[in-house]
Amino acid sequence: MKTIGMIGGMSWESTVTYYQIINEVVKKELGGLHSARILLYSVDFAEIEQCQADGDWERSGEILAEAARSLEKAGADFIIICTNTMHKVVPQMQRQIQIPILHIAEATAAELLHHNIRKVALLGTKYTMTQEFYKEKLTAAGIEVLIPDAQGIETVNDIIYQELCLGTISDISREKYLSIIDQLAAKGAQGVILGCTEIGLLIQQKDTSLPVFDTTQIHAKMAAMEAIG
């Protein structure tokens, strides 16, 4: 079994979910008392978030590259970053290590195509929704991406940072998200990407008739299967 290098802490709530899913998949596939071989490097999210707010992606990329180098030296066979937004700095990180980084947007694109989804709503941080580093992976796979309007972007982003990353789950916020999902469904979205690893704490398939693609679930399952080989 390969050893997974996990870069977590962004936020720690979703990192817990990654750890759980990966081990559940390994146990299901291999049976018995099997569990995953994992090395976890958990960063201080406050430092990363400050870099995001300041637009200092170079600095945040170096923090994660240092984590990746440490995991590689410790024996990791590949890296997963337990967050969507920070995949923006994957190219900077990959130049500094020899082992691969499993990209969350590429994993999600593959899952969408498997379900024949060609037009999808994307919810995530404002960086993930408005910048190209994530959407380009989807459009390269032939998938059209819809995002909320300006007010919706701010609503989704604020709930992520002010509530979900702090472990706060609100019914009012869930209704706001579902309203935005309905608006994007009306524009032709065939599914919705939960493109922030915390959103799955708030929105699940039972909450909406639109097919939900939880990137945490998708990414963690791919990592587990890659580890099993």
Side-chain angles (χ1 to χ4, degrees), residues 25-98:
V25 171
V26 169
K27 180 179 179 180
K28 178 182 177 182
E29 295 294 323
L30 299 182
L33 296 176
H34 283 289
S35 56
R37 292 176 176 166
I38 296 173
L39 296 169
L40 171 61
Y41 190 117
S42 191
V43 301
D44 180 359
F45 189 36
E47 186 177 10
I48 297 294
E49 193 280 328
Q50 189 61 56
C51 289
Q52 292 175 348
D54 295 341
D56 193 353
W57 297 100
E58 183 74 21
R59 171 59 183 154
S60 63
E62 185 51 44
I63 293 170
L64 297 195
E66 179 183 356
R69 291 193 299 268
S70 297
L71 290 169
E72 183 176 38
K73 290 178 182 177
D77 293 298
F78 63 91
I79 299 288
I80 58 169
I81 311 169
C82 303
T83 172
N84 285 268
T85 299
M86 294 313 298
H87 279 73
K88 179 179 173 68
V89 301
V90 163
Q92 179 183 348
M93 296 171 63
Q94 190 67 79
R95 287 192 296 268
Q96 301 185 46
I97 58 174
Q98 300 302 311

Side-chain angles (χ1 to χ4, degrees), residues 180-191:
I180 291 169
I181 290 171
D182 287 344
Q183 293 169 22
L184 294 172
K187 294 181 179 180
Q190 300 169 310

Side-chain angles (χ1 to χ4, degrees), residues 152-174:
I153 288 171
E154 290 303 317
T155 297
V156 171
N157 187 76
D158 288 348
I159 289 171
I160 290 170
Y161 283 104
Q162 296 175 19
E163 298 180 21
L164 301 181
C165 286
L166 299 174
T168 299
I169 308 299
S170 163
D171 289 338
I172 294 174
S173 295
R174 181 180 294 109

